[in-house]
Short mmCIF file of all heavy atoms in Angstrom, two decimals:
data_model
loop_
_atom_site.label_atom_id
_atom_site.label_comp_id
_atom_site.label_asym_id
_atom_site.label_seq_id
_atom_site.Cartn_x
_atom_site.Cartn_y
_atom_site.Cartn_z
N GLN A 45 62.13 21.47 118.84
CA GLN A 45 63.47 21.38 119.54
C GLN A 45 63.37 21.69 120.93
O GLN A 45 64.42 21.95 121.59
CB GLN A 45 64.36 22.40 118.81
CG GLN A 45 64.52 22.21 117.33
CD GLN A 45 65.72 21.37 117.00
OE1 GLN A 45 66.72 21.37 117.67
NE2 GLN A 45 65.61 20.59 115.92
N MET A 48 65.73 18.11 124.59
CA MET A 48 67.00 17.58 124.10
C MET A 48 67.17 16.10 124.59
O MET A 48 66.90 15.77 125.73
CB MET A 48 68.20 18.41 124.65
CG MET A 48 69.50 18.05 124.06
SD MET A 48 70.81 19.14 124.77
CE MET A 48 70.41 20.68 124.06
N GLY A 68 92.29 25.02 128.00
CA GLY A 68 92.60 25.73 129.26
C GLY A 68 91.46 26.64 129.70
O GLY A 68 91.71 27.54 130.55
N VAL A 79 78.66 32.27 151.36
CA VAL A 79 79.27 33.44 150.74
C VAL A 79 78.17 34.19 149.88
O VAL A 79 78.12 35.42 149.89
CB VAL A 79 80.38 33.05 149.71
CG1 VAL A 79 80.92 34.18 148.88
CG2 VAL A 79 81.53 32.37 150.50
N LEU A 103 68.17 62.94 144.10
CA LEU A 103 69.51 62.41 144.19
C LEU A 103 69.48 60.86 144.35
O LEU A 103 70.38 60.22 143.82
CB LEU A 103 70.29 63.00 145.40
CG LEU A 103 70.65 64.47 145.30
CD1 LEU A 103 71.26 64.99 146.57
CD2 LEU A 103 71.69 64.60 144.19
N LEU A 106 68.82 59.34 140.88
CA LEU A 106 70.05 59.42 140.00
C LEU A 106 71.09 58.43 140.45
O LEU A 106 71.75 57.84 139.64
CB LEU A 106 70.56 60.87 140.00
CG LEU A 106 69.73 61.91 139.30
CD1 LEU A 106 70.33 63.30 139.47
CD2 LEU A 106 69.60 61.52 137.85
N ILE A 113 73.45 50.66 136.26
CA ILE A 113 74.35 50.55 135.03
C ILE A 113 75.71 50.01 135.40
O ILE A 113 76.26 49.02 134.79
CB ILE A 113 74.40 51.85 134.27
CG1 ILE A 113 73.01 52.22 133.69
CG2 ILE A 113 75.44 51.81 133.14
CD1 ILE A 113 72.89 53.58 133.17
N THR A 116 75.85 46.47 138.13
CA THR A 116 75.29 45.21 137.62
C THR A 116 76.10 44.73 136.43
O THR A 116 76.57 43.64 136.40
CB THR A 116 73.86 45.43 137.17
OG1 THR A 116 73.16 45.81 138.37
CG2 THR A 116 73.22 44.08 136.72
N TYR A 140 67.41 48.34 146.13
CA TYR A 140 66.35 49.28 145.65
C TYR A 140 65.12 49.13 146.48
O TYR A 140 64.20 49.87 146.24
CB TYR A 140 66.08 48.99 144.19
CG TYR A 140 67.38 49.04 143.37
CD1 TYR A 140 67.71 48.02 142.54
CD2 TYR A 140 68.23 50.14 143.50
CE1 TYR A 140 68.86 48.06 141.86
CE2 TYR A 140 69.46 50.14 142.81
CZ TYR A 140 69.74 49.11 141.93
OH TYR A 140 70.88 49.15 141.30
#
Side-chain angles (χ1 to χ4, degrees):
Q45 303 267 327
M48 184 180 292
V79 174
L103 287 175
L106 290 175
I113 294 168
T116 303
Y140 309 126

